Amino acid sequence: IAFCINKKYRCIEKIMGKSAKFIVLPKRAGDQKETAADIKKMREFFGYNPSVLLEEGLANQVLWYKNKIHGKF
């Protein structure tokens, strides 16, 4: 499943309750336009089947960051 990076940012904004500030720079040669993971082999060889939706996974990641990293340095 491919997700636009903007969807991820908007999801994190919603989780955090804050708006992100973006600095949009001109595209450079070689910049990646799109990416998507292909997990067919993980399913085939290891029986991997993702069970967490994007929004839930990002919420867990933000919570982990807040508890483990933020304010520790």
Side-chain angles (χ1 to χ4, degrees):
I1 298 173
F3 291 101
C4 173
I5 193 70
N6 289 332
K7 180 178 179 180
K8 292 175 187 172
Y9 286 141
R10 300 297 169 241
C11 185
I12 292 170
E13 286 177 326
K14 183 178 175 183
I15 293 165
M16 301 284 295
K18 298 180 180 183
S19 295
K21 296 178 184 175
F22 295 96
I23 299 173
V24 180
L25 301 173
K27 294 181 181 183
R28 301 175 299 171
D31 276 355
Q32 196 170 7
K33 294 179 183 146
E34 186 178 304
T35 183
D38 183 351
I39 63 169
K40 285 188 274 187
K41 288 185 179 179
M42 288 294 289
R43 288 180 197 256
E44 180 182 341
F45 295 116
F46 302 107
Y48 176 70
N49 190 27
S51 58
V52 177
L53 297 175
L54 173 68
E55 292 80 5
E56 182 183 354
L58 287 174
N60 290 339
Q61 189 171 1
V62 167
L63 183 61
W64 178 89
Y65 178 82
K66 282 181 174 180
N67 291 330
K68 300 289 185 184
I69 306 295
H70 187 69
K72 304 278 182 176
F73 298 98

